[in-house]
Amino acid sequence: MSSPLNVAVQMDPLEHVDINGDSTFALMLEAQSRGHKLFVYEVPSLALGEGTTSPGGKVSTQVSASLRPVTVQREKGNHATFGEASRRSLGEMDVVLMRQDPPFDMAYITATHLLDHVHGVGPNKALVVNDPRWVRDSPEKLLVTHFPHLMPPTLVTWDVEQIRAFRTQWKDIIVKPLFGNGGSGIFRIKEDDQNLNALLEMHFARSREPLMIQRYEPAVKKGDKRIILVDGVPVGAINRVPTGDDHRSNMHVGGVARKVALTERDKEICEAIGPFLKEHGLIFVGIDVIGDYLTEINVTSPTGLQELERFDGVNGAAAIWDCIENKLKA
């Protein structure tokens, strides 16, 4: 067993998590079982200011947060016991888990800039998981475009005429906001659907962001596979199957998780992207695969750990902590 670590978890309110589905909760339980000390804080408590002054007169930068010590247990309605909050430097921690949910907006991006000052191994540094720079530089629907040979036909644009031409070519399409999450705002537009123009008008009246357009893949009816990778290596997968008439398979919108095995194509996809993830400190990643195609690479706060353990007995949280502990030793 490694030496106990001080672990700060940057997350949405712990009080509201689903203890039987939340991956952050699984990571916290695993850390606690290893003797690590847990603290939680929310993004609005982050502060960047002056730290200590060296004998030579150089002033350091300090990132602090209002940290609450916490113990967790799998007991519904009583899953977290908090100590008194205090403002502390994140440089006093050994590990910071960046686990707040998107949207991937300027507030999210700013938090990664602040954590850049902390990330590292050594005095006044903490290993931030995932690496904040590469979370910032890897928007989940854009990172995948660096692997076009693995994707379905895809268009990212503001140009309405380009979108119409893409629909004319592929007939049945999916329209996605670039920086959403959980399946929110995703539309399927069929060849005879007359709502495309109204949808585009509504989006561009409310947003300055482009849209992602992809060919609809009928294989989604059999499920949208979430493959979990740790330091670039797949540890397992779950299948998320749409229910009713909804084309979306995300569990946030009613998709149902099912047991599934990795195919040879899945392994080929993982081998293609794994070295990039490992090189850039993206330790915990969840990718989405529909049929033979990679559709997203999720690096912000991936989910699926608890479902994977229930279906396959694979403790992905343990694999993640093994990786973190090994990196700190190295």
Side-chain angles (χ1 to χ4, degrees), residues 148-164:
H149 60 294
L150 305 176
M151 298 177 63
T154 297
L155 173 71
V156 177
T157 188
W158 290 266
D159 193 303
V160 171
E161 291 305 317
Q162 287 289 305
I163 296 171
R164 289 174 181 151

Side-chain angles (χ1 to χ4, degrees), residues 157-199:
T157 188
W158 290 266
D159 193 303
V160 171
E161 291 305 317
Q162 287 289 305
I163 296 171
R164 289 174 181 151
F166 187 92
R167 191 241 198 134
T168 298
Q169 179 179 7
W170 297 110
K171 316 300 183 188
D172 199 350
I173 62 172
I174 294 292
V175 180
K176 300 180 181 181
L178 268 184
F179 302 112
N181 69 302
S184 177
I186 296 178
F187 291 86
R188 178 185 178 187
I189 302 292
K190 298 181 181 179
E191 183 177 11
D192 58 352
D193 195 318
Q194 299 180 19
N195 290 306
L196 179 62
N197 289 339
L199 174 61

Side-chain angles (χ1 to χ4, degrees), residues 35-156:
H36 303 326
K37 188 172 182 179
L38 295 171
F39 301 83
V40 293
Y41 69 94
E42 296 173 32
V43 170
S45 84
L46 280 171
L48 172 68
E50 289 186 3
T52 58
T53 303
S54 70
K58 183 178 180 181
V59 179
S60 65
T61 299
Q62 176 177 276
V63 178
S64 65
S66 180
L67 301 181
R68 291 190 293 172
V70 65
T71 57
V72 290
Q73 53 276 334
R74 197 181 289 280
E75 182 181 338
K76 190 173 182 180
N78 186 36
H79 62 275
T81 303
F82 298 97
E84 185 176 350
S86 62
R87 179 156 294 278
R88 295 179 61 176
S89 168
L90 291 183
E92 298 175 23
M93 300 292 108
D94 299 295
V95 179
V96 174
L97 297 182
M98 186 166 52
R99 291 291 304 169
Q100 81 274 21
D101 287 336
F104 191 76
D105 55 13
M106 284 308 301
Y108 207 110
I109 290 169
T110 300
T112 69
H113 281 293
L114 266 59
L115 290 179
D116 277 341
H117 290 277
V118 177
H119 180 55
V121 177
N124 301 314
K125 295 289 185 180
L127 179 64
V128 181
V129 179
N130 290 319
D131 183 324
R133 175 192 169 186
W134 286 101
V135 169
R136 181 172 64 249
D137 288 355
S138 305
E140 296 168 343
K141 293 180 180 67
L142 288 176
L143 177 57
V144 70
T145 61
H146 291 272
F147 304 94
H149 60 294
L150 305 176
M151 298 177 63
T154 297
L155 173 71
V156 177

Side-chain angles (χ1 to χ4, degrees), residues 206-325:
R206 298 169 58 186
S207 175
R208 297 175 59 194
E209 296 168 359
L211 285 165
M212 171 174 272
I213 319 296
Q214 290 184 318
R215 183 181 68 190
Y216 173 73
E217 298 300 323
V220 74
K221 295 175 182 177
K222 297 180 180 179
D224 181 350
K225 191 177 295 182
R226 163 57 57 88
I227 303 174
I228 294 170
L229 297 96
V230 177
D231 210 23
V233 178
V235 297
I238 60 171
N239 202 26
R240 301 166 301 171
V241 182
T243 56
D245 295 328
D246 203 323
H247 65 275
R248 299 170 299 174
S249 55
N250 308 71
M251 289 184 283
H252 285 291
V253 292
V256 177
R258 296 280 187 258
K259 181 181 174 69
V260 73
L262 291 175
T263 66
E264 289 305 312
R265 173 60 171 172
D266 296 334
K267 295 174 184 176
E268 178 185 329
I269 290 171
C270 292
E271 288 174 3
I273 68 173
F276 176 93
L277 304 179
K278 183 178 180 67
E279 179 183 354
H280 296 106
L282 298 169
I283 291 173
F284 179 16
V285 172
I287 66 172
D288 297 340
V289 176
I290 298 174
D292 288 335
Y293 296 103
L294 176 66
T295 59
E296 290 188 22
I297 302 175
N298 299 279
V299 303
T300 50
S301 57
T303 60
L305 292 180
Q306 297 210 44
E307 293 81 4
L308 179 63
E309 187 163 12
R310 279 197 290 273
F311 294 148
D312 293 339
V314 174
N315 189 341
I320 291 166
W321 278 109
D322 286 346
C323 178
I324 291 171
E325 291 170 0

